[in-house]
Amino acid sequence: MIELFYWPTPNGRKIPLFLEEAGLEYQVTHVDIGKGDQFKPDYLAISPNGRMPAIIDHAPVDGGAAVSVFESGAILQYLAEKAGRFLPQDVRGRVECMEWLFWQMAGLGPMTGQYGHFHVYAPEPIAYAKERYAREVGRLLGVLDRRLAGREYICGKEYTIADMACWPWIDAYDKAPFDLAPYVEVRRWRAAIAARPATARAETLRDFRKSAPPMSEEERRILFGT
């Protein structure tokens, strides 16, 4: 049994993509980041950075005590090694997959997150920040678009944790939609992953938030440390 500590952010959405594809049994514990659940002592014992997602594997492959993992990239790698799926086994294929996983963790995710912050959540508009992160997201989408040319998925014919890491970050903010028209390969790839049955199952975890009220000032204060 995998215990998944989840909230429907792009990082949180990565992990159900893997769990549903691999058919691993899991249960969800919601971590309401607007109420500060990520800062509670019990959660910090699992995720010391106070961020979400995290997992506890109550049945690790060595048969020993439960294993907790924080940081979405580390979780995807851990689960791929546990299941023996979605991470190439040959040296070159594995390196390639890990390169793109870390590219997402270091680039696509943080830069898109900053784009979302300054376009959606910032208390006042800052033109320089909005333009700077929009340009950087466009540059990164161009990198991904070129990578996908002639490839079904990021690492070739096989769907991997690199794809699972990147997919939730594409046009992640409904209130600040990013123009994907120039990125033909990204749009094709994005649609192909969305059409996978496991993706549809994973995305149903977001349903409980569809009718959520707008973020309150208290939630904003907690979430952004203001």
Side-chain angles (χ1 to χ4, degrees), residues 7-77:
W7 200 246
T9 66
N11 281 334
R13 290 164 58 203
K14 297 172 185 177
I15 311 308
L17 291 177
F18 186 98
L19 294 168
E20 290 291 344
E21 288 282 354
L24 294 177
E25 185 181 3
Y26 69 101
Q27 64 181 25
V28 174
T29 297
H30 289 142
V31 179
D32 189 334
I33 60 177
K35 293 182 178 178
D37 288 352
Q38 69 274 33
F39 302 124
K40 292 180 177 179
D42 286 352
Y43 186 71
L44 288 173
I46 301 166
S47 180
N49 194 37
R51 294 294 183 267
M52 185 282 315
I55 66 166
I56 298 176
D57 181 2
H58 292 280
V61 294
D62 67 359
V67 174
S68 64
V69 190
F70 73 101
E71 291 295 328
S72 59
I75 295 168
L76 287 173
Q77 181 180 356

Side-chain angles (χ1 to χ4, degrees), residues 70-133:
F70 73 101
E71 291 295 328
S72 59
I75 295 168
L76 287 173
Q77 181 180 356
Y78 175 84
L79 292 173
E81 291 173 349
K82 174 185 176 73
R85 299 183 64 188
F86 306 112
L87 177 61
Q89 298 300 303
D90 65 288
V91 171
R92 290 165 183 79
R94 182 184 174 89
V95 167
E96 186 176 56
C97 183
M98 297 303 292
E99 285 175 332
W100 287 96
L101 174 65
F102 279 83
W103 175 83
Q104 184 281 311
M105 297 294 295
L108 182 65
M111 295 300 102
T112 305
Q114 293 298 323
Y115 166 88
H117 180 80
F118 287 106
H119 283 78
V120 178
Y121 300 114
E124 58 185 43
I126 303 173
Y128 172 80
K130 292 172 73 173
E131 292 168 6
R132 185 263 187 277
Y133 288 110

